[in-house]
């Protein structure tokens, strides 16, 4: 292996990566795996096998170790997802506050199959939205609620959902 | 001795060293606490919850810090509100552990019920069935029936290849992480991990090639279920049908103790086959590990390409002949050679073979022109200053120093790498000097990278910087006094070392002509390493002296035998040449000019194709004998398979040829030959097949005879742990410093030694081909 290997990420985000790495001691480069994965996911849309290898090389760890991190955290995606990821909590307390009907509406609005949404998520044909039914967003009292990308929207009605979707479609 | 802690386990008084875990303390008292994720060779993690016990501790008065006493004056015991994992809890004075109450039993039942929610009931076709911890513990502690609905069972991939050698059955995995921890802690190849979490958690690998580790097979041994299986063995046999034959790995100088699992098989046409190779516990040699080359490199013993009958060259073609024809021809031609005969002996044959080869030359052929091959320098120095009797890399720790020079331990003696890494974790210091980076540099206290060819100079720089050294060669050594601070620091480490082992590698140019002079750089390096241990007094004691990284399994033993037979270098004309287990032409070298060539081999190698007579020899698994490893431990291996064709054991062939010379040797077994070796070779005095077969109790205890949960019916060492021979220095106390001026670097490139390099034997293991090719790719890239 040569030292001059330049990964696409390194080429494009040299300064950002340097900033990330500078936050940790030089012999603890593996600490930078999470921030590097954010960067990679933003760049490629999801954590592709190539992205994982890139991050591993930059952080000086094995690709398997990086992949295990991707597998552990639910907000890292190992498969292609829409431009925006919508997560609706449908655990018991939320369901008591009507989240299941809310989810049904969301599926209808986006034209997605509820069974698919409940088993790993589904993506709209135009690639704009991925809808997932998840377990616990830690805000049971504010159900029905959802998370779009990293932002929370709480105590929602179907109308508010439609408005949100139109808003994000423009983003 | 460490402080002892006294406690009670199930009312049995136990006294164990401070820091011992409850699970191990119980084992000392013959109390079995069931485990899955715990393994005595791995750090505890407490993942599986199988080892839950009730723990009571001495109640302390909060004011005074003194034990609270009951009416009888004995300390009161406070039991915790919950069960605790005995695999992560160290013992405390006065502790009371209870392992057999209803509470504990219910916990064990519940844990097993959870583990079995998705585990398939395919025991009848599972490779592990019969030696499976999950099966054993379910029968002993399990609930018998489950309350879970079958519809909730997860259906997962059952034939998932992690790599070309290891398969994962995702349904069978119970997420104990023994495999991941082995790769992280022991092998230090971080190529396995957990993907997802909770019930979805699964083993994964992302390395290229998949599961890229030289030790991957060990994970199948320690897997407590049938989740990890080898491509070699999966679905080949049930463990109880297998006959485990004790053997010694025939590949590298570590001399790992192995068990050959043999059985007649339909796939093998109803013939006996080696179905699997597993480690056999020997804590002084390989503990319970072997490398993948040892595990998968056995196929040559049952290869279709093996020589079946003697061959004689007639009209330019090798044609089948009888042994009698071959022996008569050999006798005629070697008699005619009238002392102008030479023998080249490969370093894979047994001690018994080498001894009789030398004897045949001396007494029959009237010649002592015997060469052991391949050429390595320093065999005599290792015989003299090799590590002392009682050496055990597993005992190295605080105050001990290992110096590695001109060699890659992982590539030449893989299991040594595991044990040295562990020694460093116990406090031993490693100094690594090489022309390039190796895996050992990760563990080195000091890494020295020298210019290729400057190995000997580096050793002398080191010796010059050992502050307390004064010797006959001080003035010559002084010229090499280092300016490099790293070398000075390394010299300081050696000066302060209680024990010093010098690992002598051979990654350096072979003998070459430099400035019109024949120079053996290897000789100079070996002498420099010998000077280092002699000048610093690190010889003749356990864990002190030279430990070579020889190329093969019996390099040292073959040298010991031939030198005791008075071997001399090739000096004159050679009219008849006898080669055994060596293929110079295949390695791109030439034979000396000669009229008659005999080749004794397993395969029709390029050298054999040029021979006048080819004799078929038995493979190691088809006969018995002894090998001497790099630590000069003589170890027995046993016959596991019937012979191929008409092949005979090497020593027997030599005996039969000797008969043609009117020699009446009374050897009817390899054992008989060892009697003569013991009588005539000082270092081997007192050895016989009985003492070599002796075993001792191994700690930690693994294997079927001791527990239900470490799996493996092959760990038990029933074949003997071998015996380490004395170095010549230990016999006669003579040592000397000798000066060989370090040759200037020849400029010749040095090819790194690779474990997975193609070769006559390993090429016969088709399943190993990907590894050999991967090694080739690395070479091209480097």
């Amino acid at each position: 292996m040569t030292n001059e290997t330049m990964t696409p990420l390194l080429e494009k985000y040299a300064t950002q990566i340097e900033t990330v790495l500078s936050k940790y001691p030089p012999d603890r480069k593996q600490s930078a795996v999470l921030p590097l994965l954010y960067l990679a996911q933003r760049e490629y849309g999801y954590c592709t096998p190539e992205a994982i290898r890139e991050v591993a090389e930059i952080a000086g760890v094995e690709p398997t170790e990086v992949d295990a991190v991707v597998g552990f955290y639910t907000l890292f995606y190992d498969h292609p997802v829409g431009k925006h990821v919508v997560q609706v909590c449908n655990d018991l307390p939320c369901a008591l506050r009507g989240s299941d009907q809310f989810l049904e509406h969301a599926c209808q609005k986006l034209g997605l199959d509820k069974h698919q949404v409940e088993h790993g998520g589904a993506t709209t044909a135009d690639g704009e939205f991925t809808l997932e039914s998840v377990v616990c967003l830690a805000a049971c009292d504010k159900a029905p609620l959802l998370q779009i990308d990293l932002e929370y929207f709480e105590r929602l009605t179907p109308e508010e959902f439609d408005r949100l979707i139109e808003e994000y479609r423009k983003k | 001795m460490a402080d002892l802690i006294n406690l009670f386990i199930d009312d049995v008084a136990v006294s164990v060293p401070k820091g011992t875990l409850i699970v191990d303390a119980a084992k000392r008292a013959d109390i079995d606490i069931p485990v899955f994720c715990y393994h005595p060779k791995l750090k505890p993690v407490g993942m599986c919850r199988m080892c839950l016990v009730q723990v009571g501790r001495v109640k302390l008065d909060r004011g005074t810090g003194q034990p609270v006493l009951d009416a009888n004056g004995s300390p009161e015991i406070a039991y915790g509100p919950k069960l605790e994992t005995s695999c992560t809890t160290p013992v405390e004075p006065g502790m009371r552990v209870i392992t057999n109450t209803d509470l504990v039993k219910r916990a064990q039942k519940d844990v097993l019920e959870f583990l079995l929610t998705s585990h398939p009931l395919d025991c009848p076709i599972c490779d592990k069935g019969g030696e499976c911890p999950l099966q054993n513990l379910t029968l002993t502690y399990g609930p018998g029936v489950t309350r879970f609905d079958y519809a909730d069972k997860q259906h997962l991939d059952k034939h998932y290849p992690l790599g070309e050698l290891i398969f994962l059955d995702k349904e069978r995995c119970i997420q104990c992480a023994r495999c991941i921890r082995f790769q992280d802690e022991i092998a230090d190849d971080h190529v396995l991990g957990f993907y997802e979490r909770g019930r979805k958690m699964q083993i994964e690998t992302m390395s290229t090639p998949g599961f890229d580790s030289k030790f991957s097979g060990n994970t199948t041994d320690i897997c407590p279920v049938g989740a990890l299986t080898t491509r070699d063995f999966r679905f080949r046999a049930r463990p109880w049908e297998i006959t485990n034959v004790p053997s010694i790995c025939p590949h590298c100088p570590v001399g790992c103790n192995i068990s050959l699992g043999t059985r007649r098989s339909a796939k093998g046409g109803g013939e006996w086959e080696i179905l699997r190779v597993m480690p056999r516990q020997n804590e002084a040699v390989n503990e319970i590990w072997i490398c993948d080359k040892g595990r998968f490199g056995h196929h040559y013993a049952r290869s279709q390409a093996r020589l079946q009958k003697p061959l004689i060259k007639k009209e330019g073609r090798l044609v089948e002949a009888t042994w009698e024809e071959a022996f008569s021809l050999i006798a005629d031609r070697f008699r005619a050679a009238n002392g102008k005969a030479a023998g080249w002996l490969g370093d894979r044959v047994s001690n018994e073979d080498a001894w009789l080869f030398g004897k045949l030359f001396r007494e029959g052929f009237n010649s002592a022109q015997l060469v052991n091959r391949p050429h390595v320098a320093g065999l005599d120095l290792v015989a003299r200053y090799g590590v002392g009797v009682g050496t055990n890399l597993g005992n190295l720790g605080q105050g001990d120093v290992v110096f590695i020079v001109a060699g890659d331990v992982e590539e030449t003696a893989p299991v040594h790498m595991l044990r040295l890494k562990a020694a460093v974790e116990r406090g031993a210091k490693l100094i690594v000097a090489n022309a390039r980076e190796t895996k050992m540099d990760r563990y080195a206290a000091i890494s020295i990278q020298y210019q290729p060819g400057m190995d000997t100079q580096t050793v002398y720089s080191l010796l010059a910087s050992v502050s307390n050294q004064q010797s006959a060669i001080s003035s010559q050594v002084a010229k090499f006094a280092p300016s490099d601070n790293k070398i000075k620091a390394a010299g300081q480490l050696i000066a302060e070392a209680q024990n010093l082992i010098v690992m002598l590698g051979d990654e350096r140019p072979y003998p070459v002509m430099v400035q019109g002079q024949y120079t053996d750089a290897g000789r100079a390096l070996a002498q420099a390493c010998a000077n280092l241990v002699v000048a610093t007094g690190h010889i003749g004691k356990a864990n002190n002296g030279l430990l070579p990284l020889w190329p093969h399994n019996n390099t040292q033993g073959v040298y010991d035998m031939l030198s005791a037979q008075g071997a001399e270098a090739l000096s004159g004309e050679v009219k008849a040449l006898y080669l055994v287990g060596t293929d110079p032409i295949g390695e791109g070298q030439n034979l000396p000019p000669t009229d008659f060539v005999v080749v004794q081999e397993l395969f029709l190698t390029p050298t054999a194709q040029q021979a006048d007579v080819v004799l078929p020899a038995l493979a190691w698994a088809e006969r018995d004998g002894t090998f001497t490893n790099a630590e000069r431990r003589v170890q027995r291996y046993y016959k596991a398979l019937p012979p191929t064709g008409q092949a005979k054991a090497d020593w027997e062939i030599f005996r039969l040829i000797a008969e043609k010379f009117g020699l009446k040797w009374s050897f009817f077994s390899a054992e008989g030959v060892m009697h003569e070796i013991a009588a005539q070779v000082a270092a081997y005095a007192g050895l016989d097949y009985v003492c070599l077969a002796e075993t001792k109790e191994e700690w930690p205890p693994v294997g079927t005879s001791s527990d239900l949960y470490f799996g493996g019916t092959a760990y038990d060492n029933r074949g003997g742990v071998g015996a380490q021979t004395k170095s010549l220095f230990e016999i006669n106390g003579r040592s000397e410093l000798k000066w060989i001026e370090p040759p200037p670097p020849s400029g010749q490139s040095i090819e790194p030694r690779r474990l997975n390099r193609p070769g006559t034997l390993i090429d016969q293991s088709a399943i190993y081909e990907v590894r050999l090719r991967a090694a080739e790719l690395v070479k091209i890239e480097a």
Side-chain angles (χ1 to χ4, degrees):
Chain A
M1 206 172 291
T2 53
N3 289 329
E4 301 89 63
T5 319
M6 278 289 271
T7 69
L9 276 181
L10 262 181
E11 253 169 56
K12 204 163 166 188
Y13 297 104
T15 25
Q16 284 99 317
I17 290 173
E18 209 173 296
T19 316
V20 166
L21 290 176
S22 69
K23 291 180 182 163
Y24 309 100
D27 60 333
R28 295 277 192 280
K29 275 204 296 190
Q30 68 266 35
S31 306
V33 163
L34 279 180
L36 289 172
L37 279 173
Y38 294 144
L39 199 72
Q41 181 157 295
R42 217 168 336 149
E43 175 66 17
Y44 301 115
Y46 71 102
C47 296
T48 61
E50 296 72 38
I52 286 165
R53 286 181 204 286
E54 279 186 84
V55 169
E57 190 162 342
I58 298 168
V61 294
E62 290 287 335
T64 310
E65 294 173 291
V66 176
D67 201 38
V69 173
V70 171
F72 185 83
Y73 290 107
T74 52
L75 289 175
F76 288 128
Y77 308 112
D78 60 0
H79 54 273
V81 289
K83 216 168 116 197
H84 305 290
V85 179
V86 183
Q87 299 190 324
V88 176
C89 179
N90 198 14
D91 206 3
L92 180 63
C94 287
L96 292 174
R97 289 178 57 93
S99 67
D100 200 42
Q101 291 87 329
F102 180 77
L103 183 66
E104 218 153 276
H105 171 81
C107 291
Q108 255 169 27
K109 167 77 183 168
L110 294 173
L112 298 172
D113 173 42
K114 187 160 177 256
H115 181 83
Q116 259 190 342
V117 169
E118 283 171 338
H119 292 85
T123 305
T124 55
D126 58 6
E128 283 291 313
F129 294 98
T130 292
L131 182 61
E132 285 179 350
S133 155
V134 296
V135 171
C136 203
L137 292 172
C140 315
D141 57 320
K142 304 182 186 77
L145 83 152
L146 58 76
Q147 184 179 12
I148 302 190
D149 301 336
L150 291 177
E151 221 169 321
Y152 269 48
F153 296 92
E154 295 153 347
R155 297 198 178 90
L156 293 173
T157 62
E159 296 72 39
E160 280 167 328
F161 178 80
D162 295 354
R163 217 169 34 245
L164 263 177
I165 290 298
E166 294 317 317
E167 216 174 278
Y168 268 83
R169 212 185 279 284
K170 287 179 207 136
K171 279 198 182 177
Chain B
M1 193 65 209
D3 300 345
L4 288 180
I5 303 266
N6 297 308
L7 71 157
F8 287 91
I9 303 177
D10 292 344
D11 292 328
V12 179
V14 185
S15 190
V16 290
K18 195 178 169 188
T20 305
L21 300 165
I22 293 176
V23 68
D24 288 330
K27 196 100 190 167
R28 295 273 186 196
D30 274 334
I31 295 166
D32 243 4
I33 298 176
V35 294
F36 284 116
C37 70
Y38 177 72
H39 194 284
K41 294 282 182 191
L42 303 171
K43 290 189 193 113
V45 286
M47 290 179 80
C48 75
R49 321 307 288 176
M50 190 63 207
C51 66
L52 291 171
V53 290
Q54 272 180 289
V55 178
R57 294 177 172 84
V58 176
K59 206 172 183 177
L60 297 180
D61 185 292
R62 290 190 184 188
T64 63
Q66 292 304 305
V68 179
L69 303 180
D70 63 13
N72 303 324
S74 39
E76 265 188 52
I77 301 291
Y79 284 90
K82 288 183 179 177
L83 301 175
E84 296 182 39
T85 47
S86 59
C87 78
T88 57
T89 314
V91 294
E92 289 170 30
M95 192 182 244
R96 281 183 177 268
V97 178
I98 307 177
T99 73
N100 53 12
T101 53
D102 286 346
L103 195 63
V104 173
K105 284 179 190 163
R106 211 187 115 188
Q108 289 165 343
K109 268 197 174 59
D110 288 351
V111 168
L112 276 162
E113 193 176 354
F114 275 124
L115 286 177
L116 292 170
T117 52
S118 261
H119 192 88
L121 294 180
D122 59 0
C123 302
I125 56 144
C126 178
D127 291 329
K128 206 80 175 187
E131 53 181 23
C132 172
L134 183 59
Q135 202 177 36
N136 291 344
L137 295 183
T138 301
L139 286 171
T140 316
Y141 301 97
V145 287
T146 180
R147 289 166 288 178
F148 285 87
D149 192 327
Y150 182 74
D152 289 339
K153 181 188 178 313
Q154 293 199 95
H155 295 276
L156 301 166
D157 207 341
K158 292 188 72 68
H159 306 280
Y160 181 82
L162 285 174
E164 76 285 358
L165 294 173
I166 310 294
F167 278 79
L168 169 66
D169 183 322
K170 293 187 172 185
E171 286 191 343
R172 291 183 190 158
C173 178
I174 59 165
Q175 291 85 33
C176 70
R178 275 191 192 174
C179 54
I180 298 176
R181 286 145 65 211
F182 170 82
Q183 287 303 130
D184 288 353
E185 295 170 21
I186 310 267
D188 202 16
D189 295 324
H190 305 252
V191 294
L192 290 186
F194 273 134
Y195 201 74
E196 272 283 1
R197 48 180 161 171
R199 204 160 177 236
K200 287 188 189 161
M201 197 158 82
Q202 291 296 336
I203 305 291
E204 62 138 4
T205 180
M206 249 194 108
S207 66
T208 358
F211 203 167
D212 184 21
S213 171
K214 293 183 176 64
F215 306 98
S216 66
N218 292 300
T219 59
T220 65
D221 298 337
I222 58 174
C223 179
V225 292
L228 294 175
T229 50
T230 67
R231 176 176 218 148
D232 208 17
F233 180 61
R234 65 200 311 260
F235 303 127
R236 288 299 307 277
R238 316 313 311 278
W240 59 84
E241 301 163 350
I242 284 175
T243 308
N244 282 312
V245 182
S247 191
I248 301 298
C249 180
H251 289 292
C252 94
V254 174
C256 289
N257 291 207
I258 53 174
S259 289
L260 302 178
T262 62
R263 202 197 71 169
R264 283 181 186 276
S265 89
K267 213 170 156 186
E271 295 300 320
W272 283 90
E273 273 194 284
I274 298 173
L275 295 180
R276 66 178 186 185
V277 175
M278 284 180 77
R280 178 164 58 100
Q281 189 177 21
N282 188 340
E283 289 295 316
V285 178
N286 57 307
E287 303 178 20
I288 55 168
W289 316 122
I290 55 173
C291 75
D292 288 349
K293 189 177 187 179
R295 189 180 300 265
F296 302 112
H298 63 85
H299 292 271
Y300 73 88
R302 270 291 168 267
S303 164
Q304 294 299 315
R306 284 279 304 280
L307 292 167
Q308 306 277 334
K309 286 179 181 169
L311 305 171
I312 291 179
K313 190 159 270 176
K314 283 181 184 154
E315 291 154 15
R317 279 185 53 235
L318 285 167
V319 293
E320 286 184 356
T322 64
W323 279 105
E324 182 52 37
E325 285 169 324
F327 286 152
S328 298
L329 181 58
I330 291 169
D332 289 349
R333 299 300 296 261
F334 275 84
R335 205 171 277 125
N338 195 20
K340 294 191 169 106
W344 286 17
L345 184 58
D347 56 0
R348 288 178 178 276
V349 300
S350 78
N351 292 323
E352 292 77 5
D353 303 332
W355 178 255
L356 286 199
F357 190 59
K359 194 177 167 84
L360 174 65
F361 263 75
R362 228 169 15 87
E363 297 179 8
F365 302 164
N366 198 20
S367 160
Q369 295 191 79
L370 293 161
V371 177
N372 42 312
R373 286 190 39 91
H375 169 88
V376 287
L379 286 154
D380 55 330
L381 296 169
V382 171
R384 183 163 290 279
Y385 310 120
V387 285
V389 172
T391 293
N392 182 350
L393 296 183
N395 291 342
L396 298 186
Q398 210 75 44
D400 302 332
V401 173
V402 178
F403 171 49
I404 300 165
V405 62
D408 187 335
V409 178
E410 197 200 21
E411 299 283 353
T412 37
V415 168
H416 279 339
M417 178 243 125
L418 306 182
R419 307 187 77 218
L420 287 175
K421 175 183 178 289
V424 168
E425 280 156 17
R426 289 189 299 266
K429 293 273 188 283
L430 216 57
I431 305 167
V432 180
N434 267 314
R436 62 191 176 92
E437 206 181 321
T438 70
K439 190 168 172 184
M440 293 315 291
D441 287 293
R442 293 186 200 172
Y443 323 113
I446 297 170
S447 287
I448 300 162
Q449 212 154 335
Y450 52 70
Q451 291 299 313
M454 294 295 281
D455 40 32
T456 310
Q457 289 85 339
T458 306
V459 175
Y460 282 128
S461 290
L462 199 58
L463 181 55
S465 64
V466 178
S467 51
N468 55 2
Q469 176 265 329
Q470 261 311 321
S471 71
I473 54 166
S474 293
S475 59
Q476 287 105 318
V477 172
K479 287 182 296 187
F480 295 92
S483 50
D484 185 344
N485 281 334
K486 261 191 188 173
I487 299 186
K488 283 183 192 164
Q492 194 56 32
L493 272 185
I494 289 181
E496 290 162 6
Q498 280 166 27
N499 298 302
L500 171 69
I501 290 177
V502 174
M503 290 184 103
L504 166 63
D506 71 346
E507 278 189 9
R508 52 188 137 74
Y510 284 125
V512 281
M513 298 288 281
V514 179
Q515 292 158 357
Q517 274 207 314
Y518 185 70
T519 312
D520 188 344
R523 180 74 208 173
L525 174 65
Q527 185 65 55
C529 289
N531 287 344
L532 177 61
V533 288
V534 172
T536 54
H538 288 292
I539 47 174
K541 294 175 284 189
N543 302 327
N544 285 280
L546 297 177
L547 177 48
L549 298 168
W550 291 146
H552 293 125
N553 54 318
N554 201 29
T555 312
Q556 192 65 41
V558 165
Y559 166 81
D560 289 346
M561 296 302 113
L562 290 190
S563 65
Q565 289 282 8
E568 292 162 9
L570 284 191
S571 50
E573 192 188 354
V574 177
K575 284 195 161 161
L577 180 63
Y578 198 145
L579 299 103
V580 180
T582 182
D583 179 20
I585 294 174
E587 289 162 19
Q589 296 164 24
N590 295 321
L591 301 180
T594 181
D595 302 339
F596 184 69
V597 177
V598 179
V599 172
Q600 192 164 307
E601 255 299 351
L602 302 180
F603 299 97
L604 196 62
T605 59
T607 308
Q609 287 165 23
Q610 303 296 318
D612 298 290
V613 177
V614 178
L615 302 177
L618 289 178
W620 108 109
E622 297 166 331
R623 42 161 297 179
D624 63 348
T626 59
F627 295 141
T628 304
N629 76 359
E631 295 167 302
R632 300 184 332 287
R633 179 179 288 270
V634 183
Q635 303 190 99
R636 267 185 85 174
Y637 60 94
Y638 297 75
K639 179 180 169 170
L641 297 173
T644 292
Q646 296 179 7
K648 291 182 191 295
D650 298 270
W651 65 265
E652 195 179 7
I653 297 173
F654 304 143
R655 181 179 70 83
L656 292 168
I657 294 173
E659 271 180 17
K660 293 277 170 203
F661 284 82
L663 297 167
K664 292 272 178 285
W665 293 350
S666 55
F667 305 115
F668 295 102
S669 63
E671 183 175 8
V673 182
M674 181 49 82
H675 277 298
E676 184 169 295
I677 294 171
Q680 296 194 23
V681 185
Y684 288 68
L687 296 186
D688 59 38
Y689 272 26
V690 177
C691 81
L692 293 177
E694 277 168 16
T695 56
K696 59 180 180 51
E697 202 188 325
E698 303 276 357
W699 186 269
V702 293
T704 39
S705 57
S706 55
D707 65 71
L708 293 170
Y709 39 78
F710 295 129
T713 46
Y715 286 132
D716 295 330
N717 198 330
R718 296 195 197 87
V721 293
Q724 213 188 345
T725 64
K726 282 182 183 164
S727 63
L728 285 183
F729 177 77
E730 285 171 293
I731 292 169
N732 61 26
R734 280 208 293 274
S735 68
E736 62 169 342
L737 294 162
K738 243 173 113 177
W739 184 255
I740 300 177
E741 193 64 28
S746 64
Q748 198 188 10
S749 71
I750 302 164
E751 183 158 344
R753 281 270 301 283
R754 297 270 179 217
L755 180 72
N756 295 331
R757 62 194 180 282
T760 309
L761 303 185
I762 194 70
D763 288 353
Q764 302 294 328
S765 287
I767 59 162
Y768 206 65
E769 203 201 325
V770 181
R771 290 289 176 92
L772 299 179
R773 265 191 283 139
E776 284 295 295
L777 291 178
V778 172
K779 205 169 108 186
I780 293 160
E781 223 179 276

